[in-house]
Amino acid sequence: MLQRLDTRSFLLIVGLYVLLHFGLRLVFSPVLGTDDVEQAICAQSLALGCDLRQPPLYTWLQWLTNQIAGPGLAGIYLLKYGLLFLTYLCLYFIGRRLFSRTATAALAALSLWLTYPFAVSVHQGVTHSLLLSLLLAASFLAFLRLEAHRHWMGYLLLGTLLGLGELAKYSFVLYAAALALAALSLPRYRTVLLDRRIVLTLAAGLLVVAPHGLWAWGRLDALHGALAGLGQQAAPSAYLPRVASGLTSLASALIQFLFPLWLILLLAFPRAFRPLAAAPVSPTPALSQRERRTMARYASVMPNEPLHLIGRTLLIGILLLALVVLLGGPVEIKARWMHVLLLLAPLWLFGRVEAAYGDRVAKTGYLVALLLLPALVIAAWAAQTYLAPQWHKPTRFHAPYDQLASLIRQTSGFERGTIVANELHLAGNLRLFFPEARVVTPAYPQYLPPAIEAEQCLLVWEEQNDAGMPPALQAFLDRHGKPRATGSPVLARANYRYSETEILAVGYLVLPAGDCP
């Protein structure tokens, strides 16, 4: 069947996959996990910045989604799974330009199911990296279209996508630099960059980035402080041990990001990992007649340059990150950061598969793995949801924030006003269950959503060993010139979901409205 897979069938497969995971996410837990809590807090209003470690584009999109679907769980995951669908779609259409067979394009895009970040992590809390992935794929597709058909609108579109990519995640600049250097190294693409219309690309990118860039420039010290600690855990003091640690961490991250995809491909298509007797196949005839004529002009110069472009972009990106390590950058590079370097790697790998195996890219063993691994992930997800608390291993997804919110509402009468919560997960989830309230937290001191006609001020914190209100929460009030919180805290307790022994306790104080920032 996959040998005859068309675009409509691909859309159906990916659509069903995304809808299934969207539904499972709503069923398995009513609370938010890591990263998603940030959006619940930061998307209360449109702002040029919230979390100093991340640019604001995802939050702007979340704000827009909330206006349509509301600030609840469905709105959070409607955006996420919409972006995931579009990412698969862009990778598929890139594949249509790289491969002679539709099946290869489909399998290359679907192979993200066999990487841990897209098989598991994206369903647990990835936000900015997912948007980065979409814009990386969309900008690469725009660049291929621009090479095939030069037009000033194409240059503007490319610049806009590159600017949006930088607003998705700061590390996007690494991909943009790698793509530019790779294109300059290939005659077919060098002329795209040396065209005078490239000024439109640069201007569009700068205009898109400028508002947030100016905002960040005014907070440069705070921004540097927020980013300085990334990847610096337990850093050796001597230069050579630091570099060795950083490069080893980079190699490990590259291997982990594509696991188990590279292992499954190695087992299913071993010849693709050997020197190829022939170059990868020419671009697909599914292109327009005009684009095919344009590409044909370059065939005698260096055939299959789109795949060469991907390969060189991957290599140059890795070398650039290695150079950052050599210049004193992070010594602990995490696999979850590798979207910016390796998103296009499955396409390059399948270029080798198609070159080595021709029309036999849909081998049974690979298809079994492609269908089996998502099923195993869902089974493991269900087991973690229903069994982990019984083994005394509850996670954030089991935290009873919904029950605690109900208890606070019943005992305090709080419904509308300002909530000041000491911790991200608590703050983000209370935003879900008090949708008419304004939520602020010391975790994001740069962000204060617009004041509302508050009726009450609720201070709330996760209780640890009956220690009372955390000093950081009082310090946050002091920085905003508010009176010192007084009164006797009230405790609310609830069992973690599906657990009879694990308990989460929160303390809270209800103050007059004017006592909140």
Side-chain angles (χ1 to χ4, degrees), residues 87-152:
T87 301
Y88 281 112
L89 189 61
C90 285
L91 290 172
Y92 170 73
F93 281 116
I94 293 173
R96 291 295 304 272
R97 291 175 168 268
L98 301 179
F99 309 120
S100 61
R101 299 167 183 85
T102 306
T104 311
L107 290 173
L110 295 177
S111 65
L112 287 181
W113 291 0
L114 302 180
T115 65
Y116 187 86
F118 282 88
V120 179
S121 298
V122 75
H123 307 300
Q124 296 180 339
V126 175
T127 52
H128 300 279
S129 292
L130 177 57
L131 182 57
L132 175 146
S133 298
L134 170 59
L135 290 167
L136 190 156
S139 62
F140 193 84
L141 179 59
F143 186 79
L144 293 182
R145 290 178 59 87
L146 182 59
E147 186 278 328
H149 179 53
R150 308 282 180 84
H151 192 274
W152 66 270

Side-chain angles (χ1 to χ4, degrees), residues 68-86:
I68 301 169
L73 203 67
I76 294 286
Y77 291 108
L78 180 65
L79 174 60
K80 170 176 286 189
Y81 285 103
L83 295 176
L84 185 61
F85 177 84
L86 292 175

Side-chain angles (χ1 to χ4, degrees), residues 10 41 125 253 341 374 389 461:
F10 177 82
I41 299 167
L341 295 182
W461 59 90

Side-chain angles (χ1 to χ4, degrees), residues 173-175 177-178 181 315-325 341:
V173 69
L174 192 65
Y175 153 76
L181 292 173
L315 178 60
I316 292 172
I318 293 169
L319 292 176
L320 287 175
L321 186 52
L323 179 61
V324 171
V325 172
L341 295 182

